Amino acid sequence: MTISDHSRHSLHKRLDEVLGPDDAATLMEHLPPVGWADVATKRDLDRLGVVLRSELAQLRTEVKGDLSREIGGLRAGFKSDIAGVREEIGGLRADLHKEIGALRADMARQLPTLFLGVLGLQISGAGLVVAASRLL
């Protein structure tokens, strides 16, 4: 049987008549605000606790698995990125060695010309000194 507001009010009026207003109010305060079938028992709370712990354990397992997969994916991506950077650095190093080798070859070809040019300037300067000394 469900308790309605009307039946609660009728009960309170009857208790007022039999016990008096103060005792009737005290007794009514001890009644649940709804039917006894809607009141949770300790057993209900224990079952809810068991279910909640089970759900939390399952959620923890799922989160750990998801996190492990995500970290594994990030680790693989990071390793791939590092390998790419190393490969790029290796290519740049090879290019740099080629450029240095080309510069050395150019310098080796230009050095004799430069040497002969400086030698020519020295000879010309010596010739001017000799010519100037004859004029004086």
Side-chain angles (χ1 to χ4, degrees):
M1 171 180 160
T2 59
I3 299 175
S4 67
D5 283 337
H6 177 69
S7 62
R8 287 177 71 87
H9 183 66
S10 296
L11 176 63
H12 192 242
K13 278 181 23 181
R14 179 76 177 122
L15 287 172
D16 270 347
E17 294 169 5
V18 174
L19 301 174
D22 292 338
D23 290 339
T26 302
L27 186 57
M28 287 300 290
E29 286 177 9
H30 283 84
L31 292 177
V34 292
W36 284 107
D38 295 330
V39 175
T41 64
K42 183 170 177 5
R43 186 175 300 144
D44 293 332
L45 294 176
D46 289 342
R47 268 187 298 214
L48 184 61
V50 168
V51 169
L52 185 59
R53 283 186 197 91
S54 171
E55 288 176 357
L56 282 173
Q58 182 181 358
L59 182 61
R60 182 182 298 128
T61 301
E62 289 174 10
V63 167
K64 280 184 178 180
D66 290 347
L67 228 107
S68 293
R69 282 188 293 280
E70 191 169 330
I71 288 173
L74 288 172
R75 182 179 290 145
F78 188 63
K79 284 182 178 181
S80 173
D81 289 348
I82 287 175
V85 168
R86 284 181 176 162
E87 190 174 311
E88 192 172 327
I89 288 173
L92 290 173
R93 182 181 289 159
D95 290 347
L96 183 61
H97 283 296
K98 284 180 189 176
E99 288 291 325
I100 290 173
L103 286 173
R104 282 183 179 167
D106 284 348
M107 285 174 55
R109 280 193 303 274
Q110 292 175 7
L111 191 60
T113 305
L114 182 62
F115 177 74
L116 291 175
V118 170
L119 184 62
L121 283 172
Q122 287 179 345
I123 291 172
S124 297
L128 284 173
V129 170
V130 170
S133 66
R134 287 190 182 178
L135 287 175
L136 294 176

